[in-house]
Amino acid sequence: MRLRMKLGPYKLRWKAKELSLFLIVLVCATILIWTWNKSPVLTSLLPSKNQLLQLSPDIKTVPLEPKRHVREDISTLTRREVITNEEERHLDKTPSTDIINNEEEHHPDKTPTAILNNKEEQHLDKVTSADTSESSLDFETVPHQKKAHFSFTCFTMNIIGILLRPVSSFSTSNSQHLGIPILICYGGAEEAAKHKHSPKGEKTGVVKSGSISTQTEETKNVILGEKTSEQEEKRVANQACNYAKGKWVIDDKRPLYSGFGCKQWLAPMWACRLMRRQDFAFEKLRWQPNGCEMEEFEGSKFLKRMQDKTLAFVGDSLGRQQFQSLMCMITAGKDSSNVLDVGKEYGLVIPPGGKRPNGWAYRFPSTNTTVLYYWSSSLCDLEPLNVKDPHIEYAMHLDRPPAFLRQFLHKIDVLVLNTGHHWNRGKLRANRWVMYVGGVPNTNRKIADMGSAKNFTIHSTVKWLDSQLPKHPHLKTFYRSISPRHFVNGDWNSGGSCDNTTPMSIGKEVLQEESSDHSAASATRGTGVKLLDITALSQVRDEGHISRFRITASPGVQDCLHWCLPGVPDTWNEILFAQI
């Protein structure tokens, strides 16, 4: 009896100590919860997804994406948000919408939230981050409900050593461990409401439970997948943009290269800085499409995008200008001694008795990127009627594409075609070209007309090219619309002129929906060949021509067809770059 009386105070003291320890741990746990958001490193200590406290089976769970960090050494957790069955039925009726805008391009972390149904809940543990990419474009709007949302995450804390263990691991068999296990849960209506009212663009993702290194690796994969998704969104946005509509704006960062320095690629007859022209305000203009941003051109980005690929221009002298413009843009107008001349690979050599080859091909070794130009002013096959006599007539096969395309199409990844200004009687007579259709001289009077013959050829070539696309799935093809002429009071050989040197004096904005080149638009419509529509935007740039400033020009003869470089063709290439 006396022993019990003596032990009584000690027993009370021991219980008081236990209660004190319990209160200390409870206070520590409270501080831990409050500082949770400010200490992401603590997330690495939490139990994995499949070890969290399991709630009632009639409650639906929605996996939310692990919080992403810039630092790779911070692991992430899987959270679950619990919603009521009433809201579940409402959400299942909410349609998903694809939203693509400029704001989301600058915030790649904002992607859709997916809502799982009851069947998916049964297989929740099987969901991985790969599921995120499949639903990256499905947006769900979560309506505001009066009922509160509740979300809890629970774990046990051991008093001795402050050890964290999942609830499922605690049992009487673990009683040999010192300390008192405490069940701690955090979350609630406020936590759920925070997720509920989170931005629409937040992406849903589930990271498999496991080691910290596994979670970190999977987080890397999610981030890499997000970058790919962002690039895909930009690609879709670029395809949806109508680059032909917009306006010219002044940009002090222009030109993209110097007209003095790009002597390696730029022909002197098109370098207006080397001529008598004194006004170069036209070099400061940049094209701004309506409703979308055009990607800024950089030579390094172009080469990376075209790594192990070949881009080919096939067309007339305006196509050659676009080719030289692109070479200057890639190199920023600087000499590049490491660029290889690979013209022989494409048969681009000076023919016997000729002054120059039918084109040029250059390769950038750093990325194995090839850029070439092939001269084909009519965009149809030309065949000498008598090979032994070079002065004899040529068969101009209106229904056959150039032999160069038939021979080298498999080696081309991006193809840009154009024709137009050589379709006149004077050019045909000077070149001794005779129209052929079906392998015989043309007898159809409707096709014999110059305009009809040109349209017939464009449609035939585009149709043939469209038929070849299934055989060459890597190939992207463009038909560039016609470049406008600005002769006033005559033509090139009859006193026509283009004396204006003031930019945007005849306009600066294009608002029309349809292309000004109806033939090109008609030929490409409904095919896999894209229209590179540059006609209207070039029409308001009459000050950008070579005009009367060419040093070797004959008296009274002006060039109101070709452009000064740097100049308008640079914009053609910027639009092309935005679409490849």
Side-chain angles (χ1 to χ4, degrees):
M1 187 66 175
R2 292 178 181 178
L3 181 61
R4 289 183 180 179
M5 292 178 64
K6 291 180 179 180
L7 293 177
Y10 292 103
K11 187 174 183 181
L12 291 176
R13 290 176 185 176
W14 177 252
K15 289 184 178 180
K17 289 181 180 180
E18 286 185 342
L19 181 61
S20 299
L21 286 174
F22 178 83
L23 292 176
I24 292 172
V25 171
L26 187 61
V27 171
C28 292
T30 303
I31 295 174
L32 177 66
I33 298 304
W34 279 104
T35 59
W36 178 260
N37 291 331
K38 296 181 180 181
S39 304
V41 176
L42 295 174
T43 60
S44 62
L45 300 176
L46 277 182
S48 57
K49 167 177 70 72
N50 57 358
Q51 293 176 322
L52 295 179
L53 180 63
Q54 300 298 321
L55 300 179
S56 175
D58 61 340
I59 298 179
K60 183 175 175 124
T61 61
V62 179
L64 295 181
E65 182 185 21
K67 186 175 180 181
R68 294 182 174 82
H69 305 279
V70 177
R71 290 176 54 189
E72 295 181 353
D73 58 337
I74 301 177
S75 62
T76 57
L77 288 175
T78 300
R79 296 184 181 179
R80 291 185 177 183
E81 183 177 15
V82 183
I83 63 176
T84 63
N85 291 332
E86 179 181 350
E87 289 172 342
E88 172 189 348
R89 290 192 295 270
H90 182 77
L91 288 174
D92 289 340
K93 297 178 182 178
T94 306
S96 61
T97 351
D98 292 335
I99 302 174
I100 301 176
N101 51 34
N102 292 334
E103 182 180 356
E104 288 166 358
E105 290 180 2
H106 295 290
H107 301 279
D109 289 336
K110 296 182 180 180
T111 45
T113 301
I115 307 300
L116 300 178
N117 55 29
N118 290 330
K119 292 182 179 180
E120 289 170 334
E121 179 187 2
Q122 298 172 4
H123 304 282
L124 186 61
D125 292 337
K126 298 180 180 180
V127 180
T128 65
S129 59
D131 298 324
T132 304
S133 60
E134 296 177 1
S135 59
S136 61
L137 294 178
D138 297 327
F139 284 73
E140 293 284 353
T141 302
V142 181
H144 178 72
Q145 298 288 337
K146 293 182 179 179
K147 293 188 177 182
H149 285 222
F150 294 90
S151 177
F152 298 95
T153 301
C154 300
F155 55 88
T156 59
M157 176 177 285
N158 200 315
I159 290 178
I160 305 301
I162 315 298
L163 300 176
L164 296 178
R165 296 188 284 120
V167 175
S168 59
S169 66
F170 174 69
S171 64
T172 56
S173 62
N174 295 329
S175 59
Q176 68 271 21
H177 295 286
L178 296 178
I180 304 173
I182 306 248
L183 177 65
I184 298 176
C185 298
Y186 66 92
E190 182 179 357
E191 182 75 12
K194 182 174 68 175
H195 289 297
K196 172 181 160 185
H197 297 292
S198 62
K200 295 179 181 179
E202 187 172 341
K203 182 179 283 187
T204 298
V206 179
V207 180
K208 286 185 177 180
S209 61
S211 64
I212 295 176
S213 60
T214 302
Q215 293 181 0
T216 304
E217 184 64 28
E218 292 179 356
T219 303
K220 290 181 183 178
N221 294 336
V222 171
I223 294 174
L224 291 175
E226 219 172 68
K227 291 181 180 179
T228 303
S229 178
E230 180 186 4
Q231 293 174 355
E232 182 67 15
E233 287 182 6
K234 288 184 178 181
R235 186 185 66 81
V236 173
N238 288 340
Q239 290 180 343
C241 180
N242 183 359
Y243 293 100
K245 290 178 59 178
K247 61 183 179 180
W248 290 99
V249 296
I250 297 175
D251 188 345
D252 291 333
K253 296 180 181 179
R254 300 304 170 104
L256 298 175
Y257 56 92
S258 170
F260 288 116
C262 194
K263 297 179 181 179
Q264 186 176 2
W265 317 111
L266 182 56
M269 61 181 177
W270 295 330
C272 289
R273 284 280 182 175
L274 305 179
M275 301 180 188
R276 295 172 294 180
R277 184 163 184 162
Q278 301 298 318
D279 182 2
F280 297 97
F282 70 94
E283 292 184 349
K284 293 293 184 180
L285 267 60
R286 173 177 59 84
W287 179 250
Q288 175 60 58
N290 281 352
C292 52
E293 292 293 330
M294 187 159 65
E295 185 176 3
E296 185 174 352
F297 184 94
E298 292 180 13
S300 58
K301 288 200 299 186
F302 173 85
L303 293 177
K304 185 176 181 180
R305 189 170 300 178
M306 290 295 296
Q307 185 166 0
D308 299 321
K309 293 181 174 62
T310 297
L311 186 151
F313 295 98
V314 178
D316 56 21
S317 56
L318 276 303
R320 183 185 172 194
Q321 278 207 302
Q322 189 175 359
F323 161 72
Q324 292 190 4
S325 162
L326 182 60
M327 292 299 295
C328 289
M329 291 168 68
I330 296 172
T331 60
K334 300 176 181 178
D335 288 343
S336 303
S337 57
N338 62 332
V339 178
L340 306 176
D341 184 343
V342 293
K344 290 184 178 180
E345 294 183 15
Y346 299 89
L348 303 177
V349 295
I350 300 176
K355 296 181 180 180
R356 64 185 184 189
N358 286 332
W360 297 266
Y362 298 102
R363 181 167 297 148
F364 294 83
S366 60
T367 56
N368 193 35
T369 302
T370 303
V371 181
L372 68 85
Y373 163 76
Y374 177 77
W375 183 85
S376 178
S377 60
S378 63
L379 215 58
C380 62
D381 192 22
L382 297 174
E383 182 182 26
L385 295 178
N386 188 347
V387 180
K388 296 181 180 180
D389 187 359
H391 300 288
I392 203 66
E393 295 177 333
Y394 285 78
M396 186 182 185
H397 296 283
L398 304 183
D399 53 353
R400 292 186 197 170
F404 178 85
L405 286 180
R406 301 199 306 271
Q407 184 177 358
F408 295 105
L409 188 64
H410 67 283
K411 299 182 66 174
I412 300 173
D413 298 280
V414 178
L415 176 63
V416 183
L417 307 173
N418 91 282
T419 188
H421 293 295
H422 280 256
W423 289 90
N424 59 73
R425 294 294 175 186
K427 292 286 187 181
L428 262 66
R429 285 194 293 266
N431 292 319
R432 302 182 302 279
W433 293 346
V434 179
M435 294 184 188
Y436 271 60
V437 176
V440 297
N442 176 53
T443 56
N444 189 330
R445 292 185 178 181
K446 293 182 179 180
I447 297 179
D449 174 74
M450 280 289 103
S452 299
K454 182 190 75 172
N455 293 343
F456 180 82
T457 299
I458 294 174
H459 278 75
S460 296
T461 301
V462 169
K463 183 179 180 180
W464 173 83
L465 195 55
D466 184 55
S467 70
Q468 299 300 305
L469 293 179
K471 304 175 186 178
H472 308 283
H474 64 282
L475 179 62
K476 292 184 178 181
T477 56
F478 298 85
Y479 182 86
R480 202 207 73 217
S481 63
I482 195 167
S483 174
R485 298 153 32 110
H486 289 94
F487 288 101
V488 178
N489 299 324
D491 211 326
W492 69 274
N493 56 355
S494 59
S497 63
C498 48
D499 295 322
N500 177 43
T501 58
T502 305
M504 300 182 288
S505 59
I506 63 173
K508 66 177 182 179
E509 192 169 12
V510 176
L511 298 176
Q512 65 191 47
E513 294 289 342
E514 299 295 330
S515 174
S516 299
D517 189 345
H518 302 293
S519 178
S522 174
T524 56
R525 189 177 296 117
T527 71
V529 180
K530 297 181 180 179
L531 177 64
L532 186 61
D533 190 6
I534 55 86
T535 304
L537 65 87
S538 303
Q539 185 67 49
V540 295
R541 293 296 309 276
D542 64 322
E543 90 293 348
H545 290 292
I546 294 171
S547 185
R548 63 185 182 277
F549 300 109
R550 181 178 292 171
I551 297 176
T552 58
S554 303
V557 177
Q558 294 193 18
D559 188 351
C560 304
L561 171 63
H562 299 99
W563 304 90
C564 288
L565 292 178
V568 174
D570 301 338
T571 297
W572 306 349
N573 285 322
E574 288 183 280
I575 297 175
L576 174 65
F577 173 67
Q579 297 183 76
I580 61 174

